[in-house]
Coordinates of all heavy atoms in Angstrom, one line a residue:
S299 N 34.3 -49.3 43.5 CA 33.7 -49.9 42.4 C 34.0 -51.4 42.4 O 35.2 -51.8 42.7 CB 34.2 -49.3 41.1 OG 33.5 -49.8 40.0
R300 N 33.0 -52.3 42.1 CA 33.3 -53.7 42.2 C 34.3 -54.1 41.1 O 34.2 -53.7 40.0 CB 31.9 -54.4 41.9 CG 32.0 -55.9 42.0 CD 30.7 -56.5 41.7 NE 30.7 -58.0 41.7 CZ 29.9 -58.8 41.1 NH1 28.9 -58.3 40.4 NH2 30.0 -60.1 41.1
V301 N 35.2 -54.9 41.5 CA 36.3 -55.4 40.6 C 36.2 -56.9 40.5 O 36.1 -57.6 41.5 CB 37.7 -55.0 41.2 CG1 38.8 -55.5 40.3 CG2 37.8 -53.5 41.3
G302 N 36.3 -57.4 39.3 CA 36.4 -58.9 39.1 C 37.1 -59.2 37.8 O 37.1 -58.4 36.9
A303 N 37.7 -60.4 37.8 CA 38.4 -60.8 36.6 C 37.5 -61.4 35.6 O 37.7 -62.5 35.0 CB 39.5 -61.8 37.0
F304 N 36.4 -60.7 35.3 CA 35.4 -61.2 34.3 C 34.6 -59.9 33.8 O 34.6 -58.9 34.4 CB 34.4 -62.2 34.9 CG 33.9 -61.7 36.3 CD1 32.7 -61.0 36.3 CD2 34.5 -62.0 37.4 CE1 32.2 -60.6 37.5 CE2 34.0 -61.6 38.7 CZ 32.8 -60.9 38.7
A305 N 34.0 -60.1 32.6 CA 33.3 -59.0 32.0 C 32.1 -58.6 32.9 O 31.5 -59.5 33.6 CB 32.9 -59.4 30.6
F306 N 31.7 -57.4 32.8 CA 30.5 -56.9 33.5 C 30.5 -56.9 35.0 O 29.5 -57.1 35.6 CB 29.2 -57.6 33.0 CG 29.0 -57.4 31.5 CD1 29.2 -58.5 30.6 CD2 28.7 -56.2 30.9 CE1 29.0 -58.4 29.3 CE2 28.5 -56.1 29.6 CZ 28.7 -57.2 28.7
S307 N 31.7 -56.8 35.6 CA 31.8 -56.8 37.0 C 31.1 -55.5 37.6 O 30.7 -55.5 38.7 CB 33.2 -56.9 37.5 OG 34.0 -55.8 37.0
T308 N 31.2 -54.4 36.8 CA 30.5 -53.2 37.1 C 29.1 -53.2 36.5 O 29.0 -53.3 35.3 CB 31.3 -51.9 36.7 OG1 32.6 -52.0 37.2 CG2 30.6 -50.7 37.1
R309 N 28.1 -53.1 37.3 CA 26.7 -53.2 36.9 C 26.0 -51.8 36.8 O 24.9 -51.7 36.2 CB 25.9 -54.1 37.8 CG 26.4 -55.5 37.8 CD 26.2 -56.3 36.5 NE 26.6 -57.7 36.6 CZ 26.4 -58.5 35.6 NH1 25.8 -58.2 34.5 NH2 26.9 -59.8 35.7
E310 N 26.6 -50.8 37.4 CA 26.0 -49.5 37.4 C 27.1 -48.5 37.5 O 28.2 -48.8 38.0 CB 25.0 -49.4 38.5 CG 25.6 -49.6 39.9 CD 24.5 -49.7 40.9 OE1 23.5 -50.3 40.7 OE2 24.7 -49.1 42.0
P311 N 26.8 -47.2 37.1 CA 27.9 -46.2 37.2 C 28.3 -46.0 38.6 O 27.5 -46.1 39.6 CB 27.2 -44.9 36.6 CG 26.1 -45.5 35.8 CD 25.6 -46.7 36.4
V312 N 29.6 -45.7 38.8 CA 30.2 -45.4 40.1 C 30.9 -44.1 40.1 O 31.7 -43.8 39.2 CB 31.2 -46.5 40.5 CG1 31.8 -46.2 41.8 CG2 30.5 -47.9 40.6
L313 N 30.6 -43.2 41.0 CA 31.3 -41.9 41.2 C 32.4 -42.0 42.2 O 32.3 -42.7 43.2 CB 30.3 -40.9 41.6 CG 29.2 -40.4 40.6 CD1 28.2 -39.4 41.3 CD2 29.8 -39.7 39.4
G314 N 33.5 -41.2 41.9 CA 34.6 -41.1 42.8 C 35.2 -39.7 42.7 O 35.2 -39.1 41.7
A315 N 35.7 -39.3 43.8 CA 36.3 -37.9 43.9 C 37.8 -38.1 44.0 O 38.4 -38.7 44.9 CB 35.8 -37.1 45.1
M316 N 38.6 -37.5 43.0 CA 40.0 -37.5 43.0 C 40.6 -36.2 43.5 O 40.2 -35.1 43.0 CB 40.5 -37.8 41.6 CG 42.0 -38.0 41.5 SD 42.6 -38.1 39.8 CE 42.8 -36.4 39.4
D317 N 41.5 -36.2 44.5 CA 42.1 -35.0 45.0 C 43.0 -34.4 43.9 O 43.7 -35.0 43.2 CB 42.9 -35.3 46.2 CG 42.1 -35.7 47.4 OD1 41.0 -35.1 47.6 OD2 42.5 -36.6 48.2
A318 N 42.8 -33.0 43.8 CA 43.6 -32.3 42.8 C 44.0 -30.9 43.5 O 43.2 -30.0 43.3 CB 42.9 -32.1 41.5
S319 N 45.1 -30.9 44.2 CA 45.5 -29.7 44.9 C 44.4 -29.3 45.9 O 44.1 -30.1 46.8 CB 45.8 -28.5 43.9 OG 46.8 -28.9 43.0
D320 N 43.8 -28.1 45.8 CA 42.8 -27.7 46.7 C 41.4 -28.0 46.1 O 40.4 -27.4 46.6 CB 42.9 -26.2 47.0 CG 42.9 -25.3 45.8 OD1 43.0 -25.9 44.7 OD2 42.8 -24.1 45.9
N321 N 41.3 -28.8 45.1 CA 40.1 -29.1 44.5 C 39.8 -30.6 44.4 O 40.7 -31.4 44.7 CB 40.1 -28.5 43.1 CG 38.7 -28.4 42.4 OD1 37.7 -28.6 43.1 ND2 38.7 -28.1 41.1
K322 N 38.7 -31.0 43.9 CA 38.4 -32.4 43.7 C 37.8 -32.5 42.3 O 37.1 -31.7 41.8 CB 37.4 -33.0 44.7 CG 38.0 -33.2 46.1 CD 37.0 -33.9 47.0 CE 37.6 -34.2 48.4 NZ 38.7 -35.2 48.3
I323 N 38.3 -33.6 41.6 CA 37.7 -33.9 40.3 C 36.9 -35.1 40.4 O 37.3 -36.2 40.9 CB 38.9 -34.2 39.3 CG1 39.7 -32.9 39.1 CG2 38.3 -34.6 37.9 CD1 40.9 -33.1 38.2
I324 N 35.6 -35.0 39.9 CA 34.7 -36.1 40.0 C 34.8 -37.0 38.8 O 34.6 -36.6 37.7 CB 33.2 -35.6 40.2 CG1 33.1 -34.6 41.4 CG2 32.3 -36.8 40.4 CD1 33.5 -35.3 42.7
L325 N 35.1 -38.3 39.1 CA 35.2 -39.3 38.0 C 34.0 -40.2 38.0 O 33.4 -40.5 39.1 CB 36.4 -40.1 38.1 CG 37.8 -39.4 38.3 CD1 38.9 -40.4 38.4 CD2 38.0 -38.5 37.1
V326 N 33.5 -40.7 36.9 CA 32.5 -41.7 36.8 C 32.9 -42.9 36.0 O 33.5 -42.7 34.9 CB 31.1 -41.1 36.2 CG1 31.3 -40.6 34.8 CG2 30.0 -42.1 36.3
D327 N 32.8 -44.0 36.6 CA 33.2 -45.3 36.0 C 31.9 -45.9 35.4 O 31.0 -46.3 36.1 CB 33.8 -46.2 37.1 CG 33.9 -47.7 36.6 OD1 33.9 -47.9 35.4 OD2 33.9 -48.6 37.5
L328 N 31.8 -45.9 34.1 CA 30.6 -46.4 33.4 C 30.8 -47.9 33.1 O 31.9 -48.3 32.7 CB 30.3 -45.7 32.1 CG 30.0 -44.2 32.3 CD1 29.7 -43.6 30.9 CD2 28.9 -43.9 33.2
P329 N 29.7 -48.7 33.3 CA 29.8 -50.1 32.9 C 30.3 -50.3 31.5 O 30.1 -49.5 30.6 CB 28.4 -50.6 33.1 CG 27.8 -49.7 34.2 CD 28.4 -48.3 33.9
G330 N 31.0 -51.5 31.3 CA 31.6 -51.7 30.0 C 30.5 -51.7 28.8 O 29.4 -52.1 29.0
L331 N 31.0 -51.2 27.7 CA 30.1 -51.0 26.6 C 30.4 -52.0 25.5 O 31.5 -52.3 25.1 CB 30.3 -49.6 25.9 CG 30.1 -48.4 26.9 CD1 30.3 -47.1 26.1 CD2 28.6 -48.4 27.4
L332 N 29.3 -52.6 25.0 CA 29.4 -53.6 23.9 C 29.1 -52.8 22.6 O 28.6 -51.7 22.5 CB 28.3 -54.7 24.1 CG 28.4 -55.5 25.3 CD1 27.2 -56.4 25.4 CD2 29.7 -56.4 25.3
E333 N 29.5 -53.5 21.5 CA 29.1 -52.9 20.2 C 27.6 -52.9 20.1 O 27.0 -53.9 20.3 CB 29.8 -53.8 19.1 CG 29.6 -53.2 17.7 CD 30.3 -54.0 16.6 OE1 31.0 -55.0 17.0 OE2 30.3 -53.5 15.4
G334 N 27.1 -51.8 19.7 CA 25.6 -51.7 19.6 C 25.0 -51.0 20.9 O 23.8 -51.0 21.1
A335 N 25.9 -50.5 21.8 CA 25.5 -50.0 23.0 C 24.6 -48.8 22.8 O 23.6 -48.6 23.6 CB 26.7 -49.5 23.9
H336 N 24.8 -48.0 21.8 CA 24.0 -46.8 21.5 C 22.5 -47.2 21.2 O 21.6 -46.3 21.3 CB 24.6 -46.0 20.4 CG 24.5 -46.6 19.0 ND1 25.4 -47.6 18.6 CD2 23.6 -46.4 18.0 CE1 25.1 -48.0 17.4 NE2 24.1 -47.3 17.0
K337 N 22.3 -48.4 20.8 CA 21.0 -48.9 20.5 C 20.4 -49.6 21.7 O 19.2 -50.1 21.7 CB 21.0 -49.9 19.3 CG 21.4 -49.3 18.0 CD 21.5 -50.3 16.9 CE 21.9 -49.7 15.6 NZ 22.0 -50.7 14.5
G338 N 21.1 -49.7 22.8 CA 20.6 -50.3 24.0 C 21.2 -51.7 24.3 O 20.8 -52.3 25.3
K339 N 22.1 -52.2 23.5 CA 22.6 -53.5 23.7 C 23.4 -53.5 25.0 O 24.3 -52.6 25.3 CB 23.5 -53.9 22.6 CG 24.0 -55.4 22.7 CD 24.8 -55.8 21.5 CE 25.3 -57.3 21.7 NZ 26.0 -57.8 20.5
G340 N 23.1 -54.5 25.9 CA 23.8 -54.5 27.2 C 23.4 -53.3 28.1 O 24.1 -52.9 29.0
L341 N 22.2 -52.7 27.8 CA 21.8 -51.5 28.5 C 22.7 -50.3 28.3 O 22.8 -49.4 29.1 CB 21.6 -51.8 30.0 CG 20.6 -52.8 30.4 CD1 20.5 -52.9 31.9 CD2 19.2 -52.4 29.9
G342 N 23.5 -50.4 27.2 CA 24.4 -49.3 26.9 C 23.9 -47.9 26.9 O 24.5 -47.0 27.3
D343 N 22.7 -47.8 26.3 CA 22.1 -46.4 26.2 C 21.7 -45.9 27.6 O 21.7 -44.7 27.8 CB 20.9 -46.4 25.3 CG 19.8 -47.4 25.7 OD1 20.1 -48.3 26.4 OD2 18.6 -47.2 25.2
E344 N 21.4 -46.8 28.5 CA 21.1 -46.4 29.9 C 22.4 -45.9 30.6 O 22.3 -45.0 31.4 CB 20.5 -47.6 30.7 CG 19.2 -48.0 30.2 CD 18.1 -46.9 30.4 OE1 18.1 -46.3 31.5 OE2 17.3 -46.7 29.5
F345 N 23.5 -46.4 30.2 CA 24.8 -46.0 30.8 C 25.3 -44.7 30.1 O 25.9 -43.8 30.7 CB 25.8 -47.1 30.8 CG 25.3 -48.3 31.6 CD1 25.7 -49.6 31.1 CD2 24.6 -48.2 32.7 CE1 25.2 -50.7 31.8 CE2 24.2 -49.3 33.4 CZ 24.5 -50.6 33.0
L346 N 25.2 -44.7 28.8 CA 25.8 -43.6 28.0 C 25.3 -42.2 28.4 O 25.9 -41.2 28.3 CB 25.7 -43.9 26.5 CG 26.7 -44.8 25.9 CD1 26.3 -45.2 24.5 CD2 28.1 -44.3 26.0

């Protein structure tokens, strides 16, 4: 996932697989949410 010392360095969801014994746990990194995201602010509803 893109990393930067500024807001919104992640522009889209990123999936990653974490090892867990003989299994894998799938994590998703969702882009940062602003207040009002549920209404679409900052494309929040697209990410949620």
Side-chain angles (χ1 to χ4, degrees):
S299 186
R300 183 183 176 200
V301 176
F304 47 89
F306 300 110
S307 60
T308 301
R309 299 289 182 173
E310 58 190 41
V312 175
L313 288 174
M316 187 186 85
D317 290 325
S319 299
D320 58 348
N321 195 11
K322 285 188 180 292
I323 296 174
I324 305 301
L325 308 180
V326 59
D327 166 23
L328 297 183
L331 301 180
L332 299 172
E333 187 172 1
H336 68 280
K337 297 179 180 178
K339 186 173 181 180
L341 296 180
D343 57 340
E344 291 297 313
F345 300 143
L346 280 170

